[in-house]
Amino acid sequence: SRCVSCCVRAPREGGGMIWRLSNRADPRALPLADRHYNRQKPGTPQFVPPGSCLVLLTDSAEALWVTSWPLAEFTKHRWAGAWVNSLFRREAGPLASEMIRDAVAATKAFYGDPPELGMVSFIDPEKTHKKRDPGRCYIRAGFEYDGETEGGLVCVMMRPERMPDPLRALPKWSPQLDLFERRAAAEEGR
C-alpha cells in the first residue's frame, strides 16, 4: 500500500508548508504516536492502520498527522469511504487549526479529489483536554460536528467544498536534506 509521494514545496499565506512527508514507521514520529491516546500498542514500529495512508511530521518532530483512506467495505461506521484523520498530535508549533488545514491541503495534493464524504476525525472527549466542545481546533479549521459513533466518539467532518486548495507537503526529512537546507540558507545570507 502507498504511503508517500508528493514532494514539492509550495507557499501558503503566512509562510511555507509546515508538514513534511513521513511514513508509517518513521522512528522520529514514533514517540509522538506513542503519546497519542488512541495508540493501541506503544513501542511497536508501525503506528498507522493498515491500508493507504499519508503520514506528515513537522521538522521539529513536535507534531504528527495521519490521513488514512480505509476501504469502505472494511469500515464499521457510517462514514465509510471518507478520508480519516486517524492521528493528530501537536506538542508545539503553529495553531492546531492552521496545522489541520495544512494537513488537509497536503492530503488533497497527495490523493487528488476528495471522496464525497470528505474527511472525518473521531475524538474521544474522555481522553482529550477537557473543553466545553471537544474538537474545537477542528471546528476552527473548517470541520463540522457530524454525530457520534456507537462507541461515543465525537465525529467531526470537513466536506469537500470546505477544504483548502491542495498544497504539497515538503519532501521527507533526512540528515542530508537538513545539511543541504542549512548550507543553502547560509549561502543566501552571504
Side-chain angles (χ1 to χ4, degrees):
S1 54
R2 187 175 87 151
C3 226
V4 294
S5 79
C6 54
C7 61
V8 177
R9 185 178 190 137
R12 73 174 174 96
E13 188 176 345
M17 169 55 79
I18 55 179
W19 293 108
R20 190 171 291 281
L21 292 170
S22 184
N23 66 72
R24 66 176 68 237
D26 185 341
R28 294 183 69 233
L30 187 61
L32 281 171
D34 281 349
R35 289 191 292 272
H36 193 267
Y37 70 81
N38 73 356
R39 181 81 157 119
Q40 294 178 1
K41 295 180 181 177
T44 56
Q46 292 195 26
F47 51 85
V48 177
S52 184
C53 67
L54 171 65
V55 180
L56 302 169
L57 184 67
T58 58
D59 281 337
S60 62
E62 294 176 318
L64 174 64
W65 174 279
V66 175
T67 300
S68 302
W69 197 359
L71 296 173
E73 58 266 27
F74 298 115
T75 305
K76 297 178 181 178
H77 54 69
R78 68 180 179 92
W79 299 274
W83 291 333
V84 178
N85 164 228
S86 54
L87 189 157
F88 174 47
R89 177 139 183 114
R90 173 193 167 273
E91 294 183 354
L95 289 174
S97 57
E98 290 177 14
M99 298 182 96
I100 290 167
R101 286 195 64 79
D102 269 10
V104 173
T107 300
K108 278 184 71 176
F110 184 77
Y111 283 120
D113 291 335
E116 187 177 322
L117 290 176
M119 180 182 284
V120 296
S121 190
F122 303 106
I123 301 155
D124 187 338
E126 300 298 317
K127 294 186 179 176
T128 57
H129 292 295
K130 301 295 179 213
K131 299 175 192 158
R132 82 170 174 255
D133 49 351
R136 173 181 271 180
C137 57
Y138 285 90
I139 300 305
R140 288 188 175 174
F143 282 71
E144 301 168 300
Y145 290 109
D146 198 55
E148 291 186 3
T149 65
E150 288 181 12
L153 301 178
V154 173
C155 178
V156 291
M157 173 189 278
M158 182 180 278
R159 300 187 186 283
E161 63 273 10
R162 295 185 59 123
M163 290 182 175
D165 291 335
L167 187 62
R168 292 181 181 171
L170 299 169
K172 286 183 187 179
W173 180 87
S174 72
Q176 293 82 7
L177 180 63
D178 189 42
L179 176 66
F180 289 128
E181 287 178 347
R182 284 191 305 224
R183 182 176 179 189
E187 287 175 358
E188 286 177 11
R190 284 187 194 167

